[in-house]
Amino acid sequence: MTAIMQLSFDVNGAPVVVEVQARTTLADCLRHTLGLTGTHLGCEHGICGACTVIVDDAAVRSCLMLAVQAEGTRVVTVEGLSGDDSLTPLQAAFRKHHALQCGFCTPGMITTLHALLTDEPFADADRIRDVLSGNICRCTGYIPIIEAALEARIAYQGKREDGRR
Amino acid sequence: MKAPSPMSPNTYVGQPIERVEDLRFLRGRGQYIDDIKRDDQVCAAFVRSAVAHGRVRSIDATAALAMPGVRAVITAADFDGPIPTIPFRRPNPSIGPYAQPVIASDKVRYVGEPVAVVIADTAERAEDAAQEVVLDIEELPAIVGMAPAEANEVLLFEAAGGNVASVFVGTLGDAAAAFAAADRVVRGAFRTQRQTAMPMETRGLLAEWNATTSHLTMFGAAKLPFFNRRAMAAMMNLPEAQVDYIELDVGGGFGARGEFYPEDFLLAFAARRLGCPVKWIEDRREHFLATGHARESACDIEFALRSDGIILGARGTLFSNIGAYVRPNGITPARNMVQFLSGPYRIPNIHFEGRGIVTNKTPAGTYRGPGRYEGCFYCEQMLDLSADKLGLDRLEIRRRNLLTDADMPYRLATISPSDGAAETFCDSGDYRSTFERCIIESGWAEKAQLQGRLIDGRYHGLAIGNFIEGGASGPQENARIDVEADGMVSVYAGSSAIGQGTETVLGQIAADALEIPFERITVLHGSTTYLSEGWGSYGSRGTVMGGSAVIDAAQGLIAKFRGAAAIALDVAEKELHIANGVASAPNGRSVKLAQMAGLSCDGSFKNSKATYTFGAAMAHVAVDPKTGHVAVIDYLAVDDVGRIINPLTLHGQVTGAAVQGLGSVFSEELVYDESGQILVGSLADYLVPLATDYPTIRCVSLENYPSPNNPLGAKGAGEGGIIPVGGVVLSAVTAALQSLGVRPRELPISPPKLWALIQQAAQA
């Protein structure tokens, strides 16, 4: 249980080498070993989606993934999706539509939607709702989150010319 | 339209100002309790009772203490003298014996009750060791239902002699005479299920003890830091000045978070004993066992009616399952049902009794609209029963009984024994106005043809219900405004933030009151280090009370600015013209507020009169009789909040609360078995609404009837969205299924339950 393992991976574009217990989750490694506290833990059961990060371009629940499984991967957290000074178009749309209140589920919403819209920049409201059904928000009732995601799509569409959905 | 508030010109209040909080939340820069860390911190894990009712024979921590990193295992044996009990926030003469000791000693009374605390150098090690603490508990018969509890089949507290912990009676007029004079009496019995508020961030605290100064700091405060400081100081036998509560970002409250819990004291106790900071983050399964439950209630009530549908009176009994102990706010729902069941309707004669009943379940507290959601549900069902019995249209019976402008101020039922808020009056409004607006806005005239019809295999149903939302709980809130060295302005408020946008909303109010740009203001809130006394955010009071205190401080600051500017410019105060943060003298010289570093003014707002937001909600549902599934086709909420500070955050409150309410109606339930074991332990079996569930929620907010009771004219807005949901949605379902003779009488109406009722009706 307490075996210490060395782990090398890429976090938000920078290589890191850390030592973790074999049982440490990726979420705890990011939060407590690397100090990236933007990733939140809402249930540790893989249900609420607050801990979602992007591993090799896929949205992943970091509470269900062991840190050692991240060996050699590229991990992006909400911090890695944020500029220093300004909000990204997705974040700005969240703010405009009041798509967050307490902010606790928000990092998971941002990472999940970033992964979705990167892959499917023309996703419609039903598709967005379907994908977001794995992320629980207790404050907003989701409606403004869907509105924000729909508005933010345009920022992703230039990157995907084929319009594939 | 009523006269506008005295604040003018107003540049920010009423505007959809984007929130300042969002800049950190969206970038992962919020700072929640688990995001702070002390170098020398240790972590706590709680050993909890696995049985619902039992006698503690022994606790063996030998194995746990031998495990790596374990620093201590604290049990009741570590207390010299009596074990402290959790404080009450609402007085009642009979609840004393039902208080919860911070740690179980002789008896355990619910699954999840803290029995021991393990402290280790990491959370993992504390949790590992907690599993090795051996509890020997002799199991006693458990009692989970209110009826057997009331019959005293098993006593939770032998010394108290019964399981009814509290009784509140609500009276108005002469109920007996009203019933004697009635053309018709309608009786109904309904139930609401056990739920919990379920904020997305679980509870957590970090207790830091400074041995040199004998000072305790509790990080992770929420809701009511000043009350909790007072309670903690008394329990720790410290002067209040030696305890501080620090509020960080808070991941949702909804009534449950921030109340004083047993863990709060145990962490402080451990920090003092060990001399180092002690941190605890609740896990989600633990949250189901340990954080306050709510809403489990029942009623057996009667309405006295005239044949034209006018309600003459109401009477009966309301029951609230408060779980194993009376927690700080445990009896509030039972009490609120009694006072607020009549809601927006003119019921001139009332006699209700509300009982708080203890059972072997996790202790209850408040959840958004406590007692008000339940009371509204009961009232709306009784109106439907009454309309059906009298052969009246369901909307017409509501229209005939809604309060109007001419009734204001309108006295609600008086509560006895008094709890300090025994008398209250609806403050302003014509409650027909939101009702009629809801009829128009929802397109009722067109939709009404769908009522009860079977279309493509689904029965359609429509209903409109009405509600009031109490706000601006007294007695007071405080604020202070400082001009900083760099010319920026700091606004300190006793209101606390639980995700509702306090920094933005109070910033808007301050900016208008001071006539300075919003960007120059920083709002700091919640922590006990900012003000000598404050109250917090509960009972839909944060904006109304905090905002009114900010206005008082701003007016005081402007007066001080006038005095200081007069000296600086060498003119008489009355010659100065002050506007937009600049004091100008007739000779053309001027000085800015921003140049007045060090200028500071306290303000406060005292208030014993609640505000009452009012509104109506329309639900259009379609029921699939083959599955019992109910689709919400349309849901519209119309409310009048007196004064809109920020339409973005207001609509966020209303929409979010409505969706929470739909979870209450259809899917959320804390299920127990007969032995008192809780059968739900994750968000996979406690089903809160998801993004795919309720896409069609609309809201319209009005400000036609400002409250006369505060300078903003504002009323509370955090709870109104949820209050009518149970009542109006069940009404819509009963309307849909009227031809089948199906009338559910309890929530939730989950698909299997509704399907079973449809089957029963078909066989009957």
Side-chain angles (χ1 to χ4, degrees), chain A residues 31 42 101-102 129 138 142, chain B residues 19 32 35 284 668 689 691:
Chain A
R31 290 181 48 77
Q101 290 180 29
C102 79
R129 281 190 177 275
R138 191 61 162 162
Y142 305 102
Chain B
R19 299 197 320 169
Y32 301 83
D35 302 341
R284 185 58 69 184
E668 296 178 25

Side-chain angles (χ1 to χ4, degrees), chain B residues 29-46:
Chain B
R29 297 177 191 172
Q31 194 178 51
Y32 301 83
I33 179 61
D34 195 26
D35 302 341
I36 62 163
K37 194 188 247 183
R38 291 286 180 273
D39 289 340
D40 55 342
Q41 78 182 23
V42 292
C43 294
F46 290 89

Side-chain angles (χ1 to χ4, degrees), chain B residues 243-588:
Chain B
V243 178
D244 276 308
Y245 269 68
I246 306 298
E247 187 190 67
L248 307 166
D249 288 324
V250 176
F254 316 120
R257 189 190 187 85
E259 292 289 356
F260 201 109
Y261 283 92
E263 294 89 352
D264 303 23
F265 176 80
L266 293 171
L267 294 165
F269 180 84
R272 180 161 66 181
R273 168 167 287 218
L274 296 171
C276 53
V278 179
K279 184 175 176 181
W280 167 67
I281 303 297
E282 185 183 54
D283 72 31
R284 185 58 69 184
R285 180 174 175 277
E286 192 175 28
H287 184 85
F288 281 91
L289 306 176
T291 292
H293 290 182
R295 290 279 201 268
E296 185 178 353
S297 77
C299 76
D300 182 358
I301 55 176
E302 294 176 304
F303 274 17
L305 296 135
R306 227 162 57 185
S307 56
D308 60 359
I310 297 295
I311 307 168
L312 300 175
R315 66 185 177 194
T317 310
L318 300 148
F319 309 89
S320 174
N321 187 333
I322 62 175
Y325 296 96
V326 175
R327 285 258 181 96
N329 237 341
I331 59 176
T332 296
R335 174 250 185 256
N336 279 357
M337 285 194 287
V338 166
Q339 191 164 50
F340 299 111
L341 189 144
S342 61
Y345 300 105
R346 193 185 303 99
I347 304 183
N349 302 289
I350 290 173
H351 184 98
F352 285 134
E353 183 177 310
R355 299 179 192 154
I357 300 163
V358 291
T359 64
N360 294 112
K361 293 181 176 177
T362 294
T366 50
Y367 170 36
R368 206 172 201 173
R372 303 164 192 265
Y373 164 95
E374 300 94 307
C376 182
F377 171 69
Y378 296 144
C379 186
E380 292 294 327
Q381 298 316 302
M382 291 299 290
L383 286 167
D384 284 352
L385 283 182
S386 301
D388 296 354
K389 285 262 166 67
L390 293 169
L392 281 173
D393 177 74
R394 286 186 178 183
L395 294 193
E396 190 55 33
I397 197 170
R398 288 169 168 81
R399 182 179 284 118
R400 288 182 190 176
N401 289 291
L402 280 168
L403 294 167
T404 72
D405 227 354
D407 294 304
M408 300 297 154
Y410 181 80
R411 176 189 286 275
L412 294 171
T414 298
I415 295 293
S416 170
S418 177
D419 58 356
E423 292 194 355
T424 188
F425 295 83
C426 294
D427 51 346
S428 64
D430 189 322
Y431 293 178
R432 295 170 306 191
S433 63
T434 44
F435 176 68
E436 299 298 345
R437 178 71 180 264
C438 188
I439 289 173
I440 293 165
E441 199 81 35
S442 66
W444 182 274
E446 283 175 30
K447 285 179 195 285
Q449 48 145 336
L450 300 172
Q451 188 71 288
R453 281 180 59 194
L454 180 65
I455 301 167
D456 295 336
R458 296 190 302 180
Y459 289 96
H460 285 250
L462 298 139
I464 295 181
N466 299 278
F467 71 95
I468 55 171
E469 169 193 9
S473 317
Q476 187 173 334
E477 194 52 274
N478 295 338
R480 188 180 77 250
I481 305 182
D482 294 351
V483 180
E484 305 291 352
D486 60 0
M488 299 287 279
V489 171
S490 299
V491 175
Y492 297 90
S495 300
S496 49
I498 38 187
Q500 78 278 44
T502 299
E503 289 161 41
T504 304
V505 168
L506 295 185
Q508 289 175 257
I509 292 168
D512 280 2
L514 294 169
E515 297 183 7
I516 63 172
F518 178 71
E519 293 73 22
R520 294 241 327 265
I521 292 171
T522 304
V523 175
L524 301 130
H525 48 80
S527 299
T528 59
T529 46
Y530 294 145
L531 297 166
S532 58
E533 178 65 303
W535 277 262
S537 294
Y538 48 89
S540 295
R541 75 190 302 282
T543 299
V544 182
M545 297 295 290
S548 296
V550 165
I551 288 177
D552 187 49
Q555 288 170 346
L557 191 79
I558 295 285
K560 285 189 173 180
F561 175 40
R562 181 179 291 277
I567 293 166
L569 300 175
D570 196 22
V571 294
E573 284 189 27
K574 64 175 189 297
E575 289 180 48
L576 286 171
H577 175 69
I578 295 185
N580 301 318
V582 180
S584 308
N587 62 10

Side-chain angles (χ1 to χ4, degrees), chain B residues 662-674:
Chain B
L662 291 167
S664 306
V665 172
F666 293 117
S667 57
E668 296 178 25
E669 184 169 15
L670 294 169
V671 182
Y672 276 81
D673 72 10
E674 286 302 304

Side-chain angles (χ1 to χ4, degrees), chain A residues 28-49:
Chain A
D28 282 345
C29 173
L30 290 169
R31 290 181 48 77
H32 299 308
T33 314
L34 294 168
L36 292 168
T37 55
T39 298
H40 294 160
L41 286 165
C43 72
E44 298 178 278
H45 294 149
I47 303 161
C48 80

